[in-house]
Amino acid sequence: MRLLLLTISLLAVNVMARAQQHLLSGKFTEAQLRKTLIPQASWTPFPRIDDRAGWAKADPEAATAIIAKAEGFLEYEWPYIPATKSLLIVRNGNRSEYEAISFKKREVLGTLVLAEVFENKGRFTDQIVNGIWSICEESFWGVSAHLPKGKQIQGLVDVTAPFVDLFAAETATFLAWADYYLGAKFDSISPQIRKRIYYETNRRIFEPLMTKHHGWMGDPEGKGGRPNNWNPWICSNWLNAVLLLEKDEAKRTASVNYLLQVLDRFLDPYPADGGCDEGPGYWGAAAASLYDNIAMLNLATNNAFAYVYDDPKFRNMGQFIYKAQISPKYFLNFADADPQPGMAASMIYRYGKDIKDPEMMEFGAYYLDGQNKASVGRFQYFRNFYALFMYKEFNEAKKGLPMPADVWWPDLEVMVARDKKGSEEGFFVAAKGGHNAESHNHNDIGNYVVYHNGKPVLIDVGRGTYTAKTFSNKRYEIWYNRSDYHNVPDVNGKTQLPGGKYRATDVKYKTGKGFSQMDLNIAQSYPEDAGIVQWMRSIRLNRGRNVTIEDAMKLKQPEDYTQRLMTCYPAEVKTPGTIVIHAPEQDYFVHYPASQLQASVEKIPLTTMEDQGVKSKWGDNIHRISLAAVKPVAAEKLTFTVSTK
């Protein structure tokens, strides 16, 4: 009966999602939107700098911390970005040196602006002007990794053809809020400051967005792949900048109207279950950035977009973040997601409040504790202003972690199950199906992770340091992107391939008294010459006992097959049939059929530029367990168990 009700409920959600296409752009005509938007000249989303009574209501601890930090930047020398830093992307694949300079400049500017708004004494104004001038003189507001490929570029931007990437849009937001808060001070120094801000933002951001199609916008006809986090993330900064800077109300309205169409290209095809295939680490710039857009639109329209908060898909998209939690420290990290992502706590709380989800509010409030109040962040700068005026509510908010016992995302094809609801105690398992053309994809169909008492046992290594190779045609030469470094088998010497046709089939999920289980056929995720007729995999949590994985395969010509298991701890073959994983607090055991499989363990050397990111997450301690077939046969079952004894 429970399964029947679950099926009926999911069908209802899917039908509702299909009926609500164009949720954002379908609400108002452009003419109606112009009447709905508060005019730029009178829009006051947050208190202006001369509203000292308004700013007296902002977080005093944050004020003290930010002013102290800004004082350390009073002698900051605003650096230029040498051409050779940009050229590194084609010379050796390094993107981090360019980004370190660019991101730091924006962080410093944002800190100085807030400090001046808090203090309002003019102490920081000259440094802010220096920062604005320095940034406006940069050849490119984006980052070298996002430059077009080809001989016509070769690592240096074509300044005659502006385009908008993530960080060009972020830059516009920093400048727009500086103009909003400090415009009068700038004018008292020179009218050229605000004129320069608008000129550069219009040339680099507004005009390209309104006149050139960018791939992240998605296809207007709905063809091609579904847009990823770039779409709502860039739109949120575009929206901030155009609402604040554009004085021509016709242009301002046209931009917002088009922006809503672009956002719908992200939202319309988004799965009804709200599952984020980019993982929790990117949720903060995907579903969360969509929320940023809606929240800002509501500030700019006297809540004309509040209806979005009642949309089932929008609610599911928000709730993903706390449903994908493993423990207070760890989250699901399939594909490029980070196992320990930072939580944008105040934004999560606000999202939960707006969709009337107490558990999401408690989750957000939990991560507010211990956050650095001196940090304004390098991205989503506008989130600071909401948080500063909600600090009393945050201090009084109930804190908690929902940690649901069972989660099933049918569109995403991901299962989550834990021994005890609301607790990290005991076993946790998550498994995935899907396809190998997901955003930030790794070849990982049938992959799973196992944790115990909130600590990793069998892991998804996730991503390392991004380099030029990461998003190139050499992506799957990087070891942690390949299936043979995930918890899935190699079959007849073949690994999984990237692409939408390489996918799970026959996916089923069931839960009952004492267990949760996902079944799927992973055969289609391998090339045809792997010779797989069928490879049914079952991942099962037996509550209070163990985790079992059962593979039932049929092969045309069995040559060899090897199960792979990844862990971040040393492991050894204790006896035939038992592998022990030496975690710091206790040992874990993988039991396998010694008559069918022969085990070996290797430590993965972490030596490349990409590997440094792996070290930062897991330490220099990645081990791969290989369980090779002793005598391959055309059809057999393989079962192995993860337990504490």
Side-chain angles (χ1 to χ4, degrees):
M1 185 66 180
R2 183 178 176 182
L3 287 174
L4 177 61
L5 291 174
L6 178 63
T7 301
I8 292 172
S9 174
L10 291 173
L11 285 172
V13 169
N14 284 325
V15 169
M16 188 174 296
R18 286 195 295 271
Q20 293 182 339
Q21 300 295 287
H22 308 312
L23 181 67
L24 307 179
S25 62
K27 182 68 172 178
F28 303 106
T29 65
E30 188 169 338
Q32 291 170 331
L33 186 62
R34 182 165 183 177
K35 294 178 181 179
T36 304
L37 285 170
I38 299 170
Q40 187 266 355
S42 56
W43 187 45
T44 309
F46 301 101
R48 294 184 179 272
I49 192 170
D50 56 359
D51 181 359
R52 301 321 297 169
W55 276 95
K57 298 175 182 177
D59 187 344
E61 291 183 8
T64 300
I66 288 169
I67 289 171
K69 186 174 182 179
E71 287 174 337
F73 296 138
L74 283 171
E75 303 300 325
Y76 180 74
E77 293 289 337
W78 295 92
Y80 78 102
I81 306 179
T84 49
K85 294 296 184 185
S86 187
L87 287 167
L88 289 176
I89 198 68
V90 294
R91 290 179 173 175
N92 63 14
N94 181 292
R95 57 185 284 176
S96 60
E97 291 188 27
Y98 183 103
E99 291 173 6
I101 301 172
S102 176
F103 293 169
K104 183 65 176 181
K105 289 174 70 174
R106 283 130 182 93
E107 181 186 7
V108 172
L109 177 63
T111 302
L112 290 166
V113 168
L114 257 180
E116 183 59 37
V117 175
F118 273 124
E119 193 179 82
N120 196 28
K121 295 179 180 178
R123 273 207 302 160
F124 304 103
T125 307
D126 278 356
Q127 264 294 54
I128 292 167
V129 173
N130 284 338
I132 289 170
W133 216 248
S134 175
I135 289 170
C136 285
E137 289 176 343
E138 291 175 356
S139 295
F140 183 41
W141 281 356
V143 297
S144 59
H146 299 158
L147 291 171
K149 305 297 187 291
K151 294 181 179 180
Q152 297 303 313
I153 299 297
Q154 284 292 88
L156 291 175
V157 69
D158 180 352
V159 296
T160 68
F163 70 95
V164 182
D165 78 334
L166 293 174
F167 304 117
E170 285 281 355
T171 302
T173 287
F174 280 100
L175 296 180
W177 284 104
D179 182 276
Y180 172 79
Y181 286 120
L182 305 176
K185 293 194 176 198
F186 294 158
D187 286 342
S188 70
I189 297 170
S190 170
Q192 294 302 316
I193 300 168
R194 300 181 80 185
K195 183 178 179 181
R196 181 79 182 273
I197 288 173
Y198 179 82
Y199 170 79
E200 297 292 354
T201 305
N202 186 58
R203 179 178 70 86
R204 299 172 190 249
I205 307 296
F206 298 159
E207 288 183 355
L209 288 173
M210 293 300 288
T211 59
K212 299 178 183 179
H213 179 75
H214 291 63
W216 54 261
M217 292 177 168
D219 189 284
E221 305 299 322
K223 300 175 183 177
R226 176 163 62 90
N228 67 4
N229 66 80
W230 278 48
N231 177 299
W233 187 356
I234 291 176
C235 282
S236 68
N237 287 292
W238 178 11
L239 180 65
N240 270 259
V242 80
L243 287 174
L244 291 166
L245 291 178
E246 185 53 74
K247 294 180 174 61
D248 185 320
E249 290 300 330
K251 288 183 178 180
R252 187 169 178 257
T253 303
S255 295
V256 176
N257 185 61
Y258 181 45
L259 181 150
L260 293 175
Q261 296 172 41
V262 172
L263 280 174
D264 272 335
R265 296 174 200 163
F266 173 79
L267 182 58
D268 284 355
Y270 208 92
D273 65 12
C276 180
D277 63 357
E278 299 175 272
Y282 285 92
W283 177 90
S289 284
L290 179 64
Y291 169 73
D292 288 334
N293 282 278
I294 306 307
M296 190 59 65
L297 283 164
N298 279 320
L299 278 183
T301 62
N302 292 317
N303 291 317
F305 287 82
Y307 69 92
V308 176
Y309 299 143
D310 295 324
D311 179 71
K313 185 195 291 188
F314 185 81
R315 291 175 57 83
N316 289 339
M317 291 170 71
Q319 292 164 346
F320 174 85
I321 189 61
Y322 68 80
K323 292 179 179 179
Q325 181 176 40
I326 298 172
S327 66
K329 183 178 180 179
Y330 291 103
F331 286 73
L332 293 186
N333 71 311
F334 294 134
D336 273 354
D338 193 318
Q340 300 175 46
M343 290 292 106
S346 64
M347 178 276 298
I348 293 170
Y349 179 94
R350 290 170 38 236
Y351 198 143
K353 183 178 181 179
D354 282 333
I355 65 172
K356 299 179 176 62
D357 183 339
E359 289 188 314
M360 189 171 181
M361 294 171 68
E362 291 174 21
F363 175 88
Y366 178 92
Y367 285 101
L368 284 166
D369 283 349
Q371 291 207 334
N372 181 5
K373 291 199 172 186
S375 174
V376 303
R378 296 181 174 185
F379 316 122
Q380 289 98 15
Y381 181 58
F382 48 84
R383 290 178 183 171
N384 288 289
F385 307 122
Y386 294 94
L388 288 171
F389 293 95
M390 293 180 68
Y391 76 99
K392 290 182 179 179
E393 182 175 345
F394 294 154
N395 291 341
E396 297 170 1
K398 183 179 178 181
K399 299 173 175 61
L401 298 177
M403 294 189 185
D406 289 289
V407 181
W408 170 239
W409 290 284
D411 299 309
L412 190 61
E413 296 181 354
V414 169
M415 172 192 90
V416 163
R418 69 178 74 243
D419 271 352
K420 297 181 181 180
K421 181 183 185 302
S423 172
E424 62 184 305
E425 184 180 343
F427 275 111
F428 170 98
V429 63
K432 74 177 298 293
H435 57 83
N436 280 336
E438 294 165 345
S439 184
H440 289 271
N441 179 70
H442 291 195
N443 292 337
D444 60 357
I445 307 307
N447 190 36
Y448 58 93
V449 297
V450 177
Y451 283 64
H452 186 262
N453 292 344
K455 305 296 193 300
V457 181
L458 297 179
I459 67 168
D460 186 314
V461 175
R463 70 171 178 90
T465 300
Y466 283 165
T467 68
K469 196 174 183 179
T470 308
F471 299 106
S472 72
N473 58 7
K474 297 182 179 179
R475 177 176 176 84
Y476 296 99
E477 294 178 11
I478 302 174
W479 62 272
Y480 49 73
N481 293 337
R482 298 179 352 215
S483 67
D484 49 338
Y485 291 88
H486 288 77
N487 302 318
V488 298
D490 304 350
V491 185
N492 289 334
K494 305 297 181 182
T495 57
Q496 295 183 14
L497 294 180
K501 73 176 184 177
Y502 300 101
R503 61 176 57 242
T505 59
D506 307 316
V507 180
K508 296 177 182 176
Y509 168 77
K510 54 188 174 184
T511 185
K513 186 176 181 180
F515 80 94
S516 295
Q517 179 172 320
M518 179 178 180
D519 303 322
L520 70 166
N521 185 359
I522 64 174
Q524 195 173 312
S525 57
Y526 292 82
E528 188 174 340
D529 59 0
I532 307 174
V533 178
Q534 185 181 64
W535 195 293
M536 291 301 304
R537 165 161 282 196
S538 296
I539 302 105
R540 179 183 177 104
L541 171 66
N542 298 300
R543 285 194 165 83
R545 293 163 54 203
N546 56 34
V547 176
T548 60
I549 296 87
E550 181 180 278
D551 284 352
M553 84 283 285
K554 295 179 182 178
L555 305 176
K556 294 176 183 177
Q557 292 182 337
E559 297 172 10
D560 63 80
Y561 37 87
T562 303
Q563 298 281 0
R564 307 290 190 182
L565 304 176
M566 304 300 298
T567 183
C568 58
Y569 304 125
E572 63 175 325
V573 181
K574 185 175 184 180
T575 59
T578 302
I579 295 166
V580 60
I581 297 173
H582 298 294
E585 296 176 2
Q586 72 177 98
D587 287 344
Y588 296 98
F589 300 88
V590 178
H591 299 286
Y592 64 94
S595 61
Q596 296 169 286
L597 300 170
Q598 183 175 2
S600 61
V601 180
E602 62 182 309
K603 183 180 179 183
I604 306 302
L606 302 179
T607 58
T608 69
M609 193 186 307
E610 290 86 3
D611 293 343
Q612 304 317 300
V614 176
K615 281 186 181 180
S616 69
K617 298 174 181 66
W618 302 110
D620 188 8
N621 205 28
I622 300 297
H623 287 74
R624 180 171 70 163
I625 300 166
S626 297
L627 301 168
V630 174
K631 186 178 180 180
V633 295
E636 71 173 343
K637 281 188 178 180
L638 298 169
T639 302
F640 41 106
T641 303
V642 184
S643 65
T644 57
K645 56 184 180 181

